[in-house]
Amino acid sequence: MNLKEFVKECHQKEVFKNLSIYVVSSWVLIQVFSEMWEPFGLPKISMTYLLLVLIAGFPFYTYLIWRYRLKPSETKLSRREGMKFVKNKTGDKGVESQLKKRKVHLPGIHFYSPFQKMYFTFLFAILLISVFAVALIVRANFINEPEPGVFAFAKDDSNDKIAVLSFENNTTNEELDVVGKMAVDWIIHGITQNDMGQVISPKVVEQYATVLKASLVPDEDNGILTEYLKPGKIISGNYYLNNGKLLIQCTILDGNMNETLETIEPVSCDSDSPLVCIEMLKQRLLSALLEEDELYTVYEETPPNYEAYKLMQGMNKFESHTPEYLNLLNEAIALDSTYFEPKLHRMAYYYNLEDFAMADSMARELSSANLKSKRQQNLVKLWTALIKGDNKRAFTYLKKEYNTEPDDLNNNSSTMVLALQFVNRPEAIDSIYNKQPIMANIDSLSCQTCEYRHFSKGMADIALGKPEKAIEMFKDYGRVKEFYWIKDVLMYANMRISDHSEVDNIMNTIKLTGDLDTWREKCLLVAKQYLLQEDRSRADLYLNKLLGSLEDQSAELTIEEKELKAFTYFYLDEFKEASEIFQSLQEIDPEDVDYISFQAMCLFEEGELEKAEKLMGDIDRLRADYQYGKIDYAKARYYAVKGDTDLLIQNLIRAVAAGKRYNPGTFHDDVLMKPYTELESFKNVLNFWH
């Protein structure tokens, strides 16, 4: 029997009609169940079990069609055919033997006709497909997930992640939104201060929701938690008004939000004094988590002033470098002089503006405040180490903060930066970068906030001798607008594998999609990288392009453009022209260390050793606090050009000990250091903080 005949006979025997009844009924059942499982209080995993039953039941149903609808008629037909053979008067036993041969016997199955053979062939195929589908569902929902639900395997008790969701405001008063935010903060601080687990805050969930939206990936908060962040417990709550009283309640759910582990007794207080409710709720919740009735300290030593706390909720309205941002912090501190968070942000504000003296003063003030909170103490130690240039201690303290909240993308990115640029540990980047498995689901080209994480990852791969890995990860960035940090990584990597055409293509993209100043900066960067690769001809190509662009400009050059021109002449070995421009720049800013050191190097190359030495001798008068090795590194560059290895290494050690960072363009990435990078003493400088 061929396929066409088999299909025709299936129609005649209403096989497809019976199968369609099962399919349609299953579809209707799934649709009804998807609407009804929640009102009946069933867990989400129930839908998975229903789907498994329906898929597994399909081949069984197909067999039942044969067993009760098709087999009787097939058996009767076979018997009729058998009777005809028996009545054959010729008595020829050959016909009877043909009948026996036609009946092929398998264990438990008698094939009465070609139709039955074909039917059971398709039944076997359906069975295989069903088994495969069931295996996929089981693997996705029970094997890969640590906590599939109440009907599944035992829970993973080692999962100490605790997600705290935003508390829902059911008061209809938007002014009370801040109560929910404060309750969440207070609970988070209590959990972290008492080392009860790793916290996933609403901010972290929002970060992931933002990047997932940019990636066009479903971003429902519950899905982000259960599919990506995977906490062991989830705290959810809400609050409302009852006869003028504020009532706050919360529950502790399992990691899949299938099961309520504990309901916390609601707390009540006057709506004008929400801190009373929040403190009571925190104590009850922490007691439930630890099963101990104790009082706990939190991130803040005492609850902050309510008005000051409300004020701090407006931080995101302003850029962190603006005067408005600083005014907000000062107002919060004026309302509550014991409020730690605005003091911390104010210190960071001055540090980021490079007003290190002011930041240091604030760090000293916080250090002398007799802080009892371990997390506060660690943060103050972190900022103190950063301000002092003690990179090893800074990295150590940041790792403690990172371990408190590793899913925070800002913590993750900052730890990568310190590992790579502060202590030169590129081998540590992978474990930090890969801490976020969610990143595999993000369209990175739509995620501006991810850029510096990617930059650190790519530069680490290049430092470890894996440029191909960086290219594979970020190749799509070469043809898009902006993302200049990652374009730098791509150009660095492609130069190391000598793919010059790709470097040219990226530079053309920058020129076409960006501004002229950016293209000029990248020309100098690419030229220096080619000098590091000892490719003089291609370095000169980009230096001459840059020089031509500057000389063709009709308007008077800005200070930045003059600076670019001076460096271009310097790396073209045209030291006389470079010296003249550096001299004019010194007249504008006589205390710029780079202008002085490069002027001295130009003079040395021109044979004016006495003038060069005098300049470098005078540079020591510019020493001041918070320079982080700038003077010593400038002197090291001069001695590198001069060829004095001992003084080069001495000044490099002084520079790195004072906090000089391993930024792109410095140390092993500095053209002037190229002749010395294989020296053991130079490698010791790179490993100074190890």
Side-chain angles (χ1 to χ4, degrees), residues 403-505:
N403 289 334
T404 300
E405 202 172 5
D407 288 313
D408 186 315
L409 293 180
N410 294 327
N411 267 352
N412 187 269
S413 179
S414 298
T415 308
M416 290 175 67
V417 171
L418 261 70
L420 186 64
Q421 297 185 13
F422 282 63
V423 295
N424 191 35
R425 298 194 71 101
E427 69 278 2
I429 296 298
D430 255 1
S431 61
I432 305 170
Y433 182 84
N434 294 326
K435 182 69 177 178
Q436 269 67 31
I438 192 173
M439 287 298 164
N441 299 277
I442 292 173
D443 175 10
S444 298
L445 293 176
S446 302
C447 178
Q448 290 282 355
T449 59
C450 307
E451 182 172 6
Y452 208 79
R453 290 184 75 255
H454 295 331
F455 173 77
S456 298
K457 165 64 174 165
M459 292 301 289
D461 286 336
I462 292 171
L464 294 171
K466 304 173 184 176
E468 297 86 357
K469 192 174 180 180
I471 292 170
E472 180 61 29
M473 286 184 68
F474 307 125
K475 58 187 176 183
D476 293 337
Y477 287 86
R479 301 291 186 274
V480 297
K481 188 177 180 181
E482 299 179 340
F483 291 100
Y484 297 121
W485 287 105
I486 306 181
K487 283 185 171 66
D488 287 353
V489 171
L490 274 176
M491 290 191 288
Y492 284 19
N494 279 294
M495 278 184 263
R496 279 157 176 76
I497 64 169
S498 301
D499 191 345
H500 307 308
S501 61
E502 184 61 24
V503 176
D504 293 340
N505 289 335

Side-chain angles (χ1 to χ4, degrees), residues 24 122 132 145 156 176 180 220 248-249 288 290 386 685 689:
V24 173
F122 277 93
F132 181 71
E145 295 292 331
D156 180 9
L176 291 178
E220 185 180 344
I248 310 180
Q249 59 186 15
L290 278 184
L386 286 171
V685 172
W689 295 111

Side-chain angles (χ1 to χ4, degrees), residues 108-141:
I109 299 176
H110 297 276
F111 286 114
Y112 294 100
S113 68
F115 173 78
Q116 183 187 0
K117 292 180 184 179
M118 186 73 79
Y119 188 89
F120 273 88
T121 300
F122 277 93
L123 175 57
F124 182 69
I126 292 171
L127 179 63
L128 289 179
I129 294 170
S130 298
V131 170
F132 181 71
V134 168
L136 287 179
I137 295 173
V138 170
R139 180 182 178 185
N141 290 273

Side-chain angles (χ1 to χ4, degrees), residues 18 64 89 123 144 248 312 546 579:
N18 285 284
L64 292 179
K89 295 180 180 180
L123 175 57
N144 289 346
I248 310 180
M312 286 294 291
L546 172 55
S579 178

Side-chain angles (χ1 to χ4, degrees), residues 95-247:
V95 178
E96 186 177 352
S97 65
Q98 288 179 10
L99 175 61
K100 291 179 179 178
K101 287 181 181 180
R102 188 169 62 85
K103 295 184 179 181
V104 180
H105 296 277
L106 291 176
I109 299 176
H110 297 276
F111 286 114
Y112 294 100
S113 68
F115 173 78
Q116 183 187 0
K117 292 180 184 179
M118 186 73 79
Y119 188 89
F120 273 88
T121 300
F122 277 93
L123 175 57
F124 182 69
I126 292 171
L127 179 63
L128 289 179
I129 294 170
S130 298
V131 170
F132 181 71
V134 168
L136 287 179
I137 295 173
V138 170
R139 180 182 178 185
N141 290 273
F142 302 107
I143 297 177
N144 289 346
E145 295 292 331
E147 296 180 355
V150 293
F151 303 110
F153 309 117
K155 296 178 182 178
D156 180 9
D157 294 330
S158 65
N159 186 351
D160 68 342
K161 287 187 177 183
I162 302 174
V164 184
L165 302 184
S166 298
F167 275 45
E168 186 177 354
N169 180 2
N170 292 328
T171 66
T172 70
N173 184 353
E174 292 183 359
E175 293 183 0
L176 291 178
D177 285 349
V178 70
V179 173
K181 294 178 181 178
M182 196 170 195
V184 168
D185 281 355
W186 212 240
I187 290 168
I188 289 173
H189 297 155
I191 293 171
T192 56
Q193 183 63 26
N194 292 281
D195 296 325
M196 299 167 67
Q198 176 190 317
V199 176
I200 300 171
S201 66
K203 180 185 74 172
V204 170
V205 177
E206 184 180 351
Q207 286 177 337
Y208 284 81
T210 300
V211 294
L212 284 172
K213 282 179 183 176
S215 307
L216 300 179
V217 176
D219 60 332
E220 185 180 344
D221 286 355
N222 293 351
I224 293 170
L225 280 172
T226 57
E227 293 178 28
Y228 301 111
L229 299 174
K230 299 182 179 179
K233 295 177 181 176
I234 297 174
I235 297 171
S236 175
N238 57 66
Y239 53 100
Y240 53 93
L241 291 173
N242 184 18
N243 296 325
K245 291 282 188 178
L246 181 66
L247 278 79

Side-chain angles (χ1 to χ4, degrees), residues 489-540:
V489 171
L490 274 176
M491 290 191 288
Y492 284 19
N494 279 294
M495 278 184 263
R496 279 157 176 76
I497 64 169
S498 301
D499 191 345
H500 307 308
S501 61
E502 184 61 24
V503 176
D504 293 340
N505 289 335
I506 296 171
M507 285 297 294
N508 287 334
T509 300
I510 293 172
K511 191 171 186 179
L512 291 171
T513 63
D515 56 69
L516 181 60
D517 290 339
T518 301
W519 177 79
R520 286 171 171 172
E521 289 173 6
K522 299 306 178 188
C523 281
L524 182 60
L525 179 145
V526 168
K528 290 194 289 185
Q529 285 297 310
Y530 273 125
L531 289 174
L532 277 171
Q533 304 304 311
E534 299 181 343
D535 190 338
R536 183 82 229 188
S537 61
R538 289 197 64 82
D540 287 349

